[in-house]
Structure formats: structure tokens, C-alpha cells
Amino acid sequence: MQGKRSVPRVLAVTAIPAVLLASSLTSASAQVADGSSTAASTGKAAVFVLDADSGRFGGAKPGLAASVARVAPVRTYIGKATDTQILAAGGQKVVADITLASSPVKAERAAWAASSRFVDLSWPDLGAARYTVYRNGVRIADTPGHSLRDTGVAAGRQVDYRITGEAGGLGHTWGLTATVPRSDDTATLARTAQQIEAKAKSYVKTTVVWRSFIRQKWATVPSKLGSVSGCKYTKGYKYAGDNHGFSSKVTGPSFRAGLRGIVYWKKSPYELFPETGWTKVYNAKTGKLVDKRKASTKGIDFRTKTRFDGKTRAVHAQIEATDPFCPTSGPKRAGIGAFYDARLARNGDFYVSGKYRKAPDHEMYLYGYTSGDKHSTKAVHQSRMSSLLCLSQPMCELGTIGNNGGY
């Protein structure tokens, strides 16, 4: 195991005049237990829309009177854990979370703005023909635009949104957790901003765990690979598996390759703990242990991609571990392979995307720590092995890692 410090990288954000492109949705439905409806209610188009190019709310929306369309900041709260604003337009005031608005990556600049009666959502227009919006896991709308007003919300509640779209063969997902204020007066909106900051500030670190393991008790090299693999032990041998299913424990379950990365919210250094388990080979007939080795951890890495600000952090990880009894390079190389990129927010929001070889079983979790060993847990990815053949990259199509939300 080892620790590692990050090397800050500063990316410039260029300010461009804001353009508000909004869409309205149709259909309303019955109320559900949390006080929100299962579909976005018919209503006006979103007005409080973040311009992804500039990272700011504001600007005149074509077709509306200037007094209604102009969005102006009333107050801005730059906190230690989040950034929020109180905005006004046409006599209406809202509270907005702008923590990710200044992200160095335009594709991550999604935002929400909420009054006691609606939530305006906005996200970057990446060229998708259609974007699908989910509220608390329920699909509420499809829209060709990149903003939405949802009036099916209840005052004083927290609402989780997910927006998805596909452009150029790539899928994009944004997750937003909006806090709906109890009323729209400035004092209440200010208290709501304070609540958002206090909740986010309670997190002291976020741990990301990846494990690749063999669910079965025993595994053998597939005959299709045995004769061409170049591995030392193939026909007549068997490998000990991990003999367990998915587990959300931070540490403990055995695995073939594992990675634990820790991002701290009160200090810049991060930590990296790569590890591989023992690969044990037995004689298939006698059951006698023949050999055991551990794979190298040189191909397992975790690092931050953005400078420390105590609010959000982009991270990248790769998990490459070759069977220690097989070639470590060249066309015959076989082993575990995965990588992911993630944007972690101190308030618990996250986006994750990546790819993996479909063998063996894989699992990924996020743990948000508020103090000591007390933490929340989010299962980000769990996949069962398609075939041991997938340990050889040419033999199997890569799987996709994609998730978002709160942890």
C-alpha cells in the first residue's frame, strides 16, 4: 500500500455571454408518497438557466419581456463546501447551487435553481437529439432542449434528479440533488443556502473502492485460451477463487485486484491504496497446492485531476492486473482491466463513467465520511463475469461504467 499526493492542474474558464435555451414539458400525474408527482407538470419554460459556456445564470430569453427574462443575482454565498446564489427574475426569487458551475470541464456544468413551487434544471447542450429527465428514479420527461422546469415538487423537500442523453455515440449523465425552499422570501432562501452549506460541510472525506474478484470457489483456464495463452498453468490445473458475492464493506472481502482512493475535503493530499490478492494454483486431480503469487500493482493507479478547493474533485483511476503466471505484455497478455473518471462533490453528488473487461466480477462503491468511521454508502457499479474469456481483451467487448446521484 502507498500514499500519494496530487499535482494541481489549473484549467482556464472563458466567459461567454449567456444564452437561455429552455423547454417546457407536458403531462401531470398523481402525487406519490414523497409529495412530488410522477411526471413534470405542464408549465412555463425554465427561466433560471445556467449558461454552460460562461458558468453563470442570467441573460434575456428570446420572446419574454425584459422584466421577466432578466435573471440577476441578489446574493452570492461562497462557502467552504458549496457555492450558492439567490437569484431574481420578474419578481420571482430562487436559491441556486452553483458549486459545479465553475467546473473546468464544460460537460459537468449542470445546475438547479429552486423556489417553493418549482425546480429549474439546466445542463450543457452536448448535441443529443433528446435528453431524458428522472426525478427520484422515475422518468418524468424527454426534451430536445437543455433545461426544464419541474413543478411537481413539494416545499421543504429534497429532490434527486438524473439527466441522460447520447451524442456522437457517447452517453452523458448528470446528477443533481435540489433542496426545495419552504417559501420564496429572501430570509428563507438564505436559510436554505445555509442548510445546503452545513450539510456539505459535514463531509470530511470520500473514499472510492474498486474490487475485482472471482465469485466461484474454483476457476480453470478456458480451453480456447489454454493452448495460446502462454500461461504457465493451464490444462490439469485449477485456480482458487474468492468464493463470495458482492460486498459493500470498505475493506475485508478477498479479491484479485483492488483499489481504494481517498479524497479529503479539508486538505489537498489524497491517498492511494492499490492491492492484489494471492493467485493460488492447485493440481486439478490431487487438489495439492502447486504455486502461489501476487500480481503486480504497478498498473493500479488513482489520482486527482483538479486542484483542491474543498468542494469538488475530479479523479481518474485505472485497474490493470495481469495473471502472475501469464505474459505481462504483448498480444498474449490477459488479466483484469478497468478505468473510470469521476467528479466527486463534497455535498454527496457524483458522476462516474468508464470501461471494464467483463471478467471477473467487479464492484465499485463510494463512502462519504462525516466523522470517524461513520459513513454513507453508495453502490456505483456491480457486474457479474460474462466469461473468463473476457480476461483477454480481444475476446470480449468492454463493458460500460456509468452512474450518478448522491452518496
Side-chain angles (χ1 to χ4, degrees):
M1 296 185 180
Q2 63 184 18
K4 191 170 183 178
R5 296 179 66 90
S6 62
V7 179
R9 183 180 67 175
V10 180
L11 299 179
V13 178
T14 303
I16 301 176
V19 177
L20 300 183
L21 299 176
S23 64
S24 60
L25 300 178
T26 59
S27 77
S29 59
Q31 297 290 307
V32 292
D34 68 354
S36 62
S37 66
T38 57
S41 302
T42 303
K44 296 179 179 179
V47 172
F48 299 91
V49 178
L50 181 75
D51 172 49
D53 288 324
S54 66
R56 294 197 298 265
F57 285 91
K61 184 180 186 307
L64 294 180
S67 61
V68 175
R70 184 65 61 182
V71 177
V74 176
R75 293 181 185 177
T76 300
Y77 302 92
I78 304 300
K80 292 184 177 181
T82 60
D83 297 332
T84 55
Q85 279 186 322
I86 295 178
L87 306 170
Q92 173 69 60
K93 293 181 181 178
V94 298
V95 61
D97 188 328
I98 58 171
T99 307
L100 289 175
S102 59
S103 169
V105 181
K106 175 183 173 179
E108 297 172 351
R109 296 175 196 163
W112 60 267
S115 77
S116 61
R117 302 184 305 278
F118 64 82
V119 175
D120 278 358
L121 305 170
S122 48
W123 55 93
D125 185 5
L126 301 181
R130 181 182 67 179
Y131 296 95
T132 301
V133 182
Y134 300 82
R135 183 207 309 123
N136 294 332
V138 178
R139 181 177 179 176
I140 61 173
D142 294 294
T143 174
H146 59 94
S147 64
L148 169 119
R149 170 163 292 188
D150 179 19
T151 57
V153 297
R157 299 298 183 96
Q158 185 170 286
V159 189
D160 292 323
Y161 291 99
R162 177 164 58 98
I163 303 107
T164 64
E166 183 174 326
L170 298 176
H172 302 278
T173 301
W174 299 271
L176 299 169
T177 301
T179 301
V180 182
R182 294 187 178 278
S183 62
D184 300 342
D185 59 279
T186 303
T188 300
L189 296 178
R191 284 194 296 270
T192 303
Q194 293 170 358
Q195 292 168 4
I196 295 170
E197 168 72 6
K199 179 184 176 183
K201 199 174 179 180
S202 67
Y203 286 97
V204 295
K205 68 178 181 179
T206 297
T207 297
V208 190
V209 170
W210 177 280
R211 285 187 289 261
S212 298
F213 62 95
I214 298 176
R215 177 180 297 266
Q216 296 80 2
K217 186 175 181 179
W218 299 102
T220 57
V221 176
S223 58
K224 289 183 179 180
L225 289 179
S227 60
V228 298
S229 66
C231 297
K232 185 176 181 180
Y233 301 106
T234 56
K235 187 177 180 180
Y237 298 94
K238 62 181 181 179
Y239 291 74
D242 296 293
N243 196 29
H244 66 75
F246 298 122
S247 172
S248 61
K249 292 182 179 179
V250 180
T251 59
S254 64
F255 48 81
R256 303 300 85 220
L259 171 61
R260 181 161 52 98
I262 304 176
V263 170
Y264 293 93
W265 297 115
K266 293 185 178 181
K267 58 183 180 180
S268 178
Y270 64 93
E271 292 185 293
L272 158 69
F273 299 93
E275 193 172 358
T276 55
W278 285 105
T279 299
K280 298 180 180 180
V281 186
Y282 294 79
N283 184 291
K285 289 184 178 180
T286 65
K288 182 180 178 180
L289 178 66
V290 177
D291 206 344
K292 70 174 185 178
R293 294 181 190 174
K294 278 192 173 184
S296 170
T297 61
K298 290 182 178 180
I300 303 177
D301 190 30
F302 176 92
R303 62 184 61 193
T304 60
K305 304 290 286 184
T306 51
R307 63 181 180 177
F308 174 78
D309 64 4
K311 301 170 187 178
T312 70
R313 211 80 193 262
V315 301
H316 173 79
Q318 68 175 36
I319 303 92
E320 292 284 343
T322 303
D323 186 319
F325 299 109
C326 297
T328 58
S329 61
K332 291 185 177 182
R333 182 195 178 280
I336 295 166
F339 71 88
Y340 65 79
D341 291 285
R343 167 69 70 169
L344 308 175
R346 188 172 179 177
N347 66 3
D349 288 343
F350 73 93
Y351 313 138
V352 175
S353 62
K355 295 286 186 180
Y356 68 97
R357 290 186 200 156
K358 298 180 181 179
D361 287 29
H362 305 289
E363 58 185 0
M364 179 180 178
Y365 301 93
L366 288 178
Y367 305 92
Y369 288 82
T370 53
S371 61
D373 293 330
K374 187 176 180 181
H375 62 77
S376 59
T377 302
K378 173 69 176 182
V380 176
H381 176 81
Q382 293 177 331
S383 59
R384 299 191 65 160
M385 177 174 61
S386 174
S387 167
L388 277 173
L389 292 172
C390 293
L391 289 172
S392 175
Q393 186 167 342
M395 302 292 288
C396 205
E397 182 180 355
L398 295 179
T400 299
I401 304 165
N403 205 337
N404 71 283
Y407 58 89

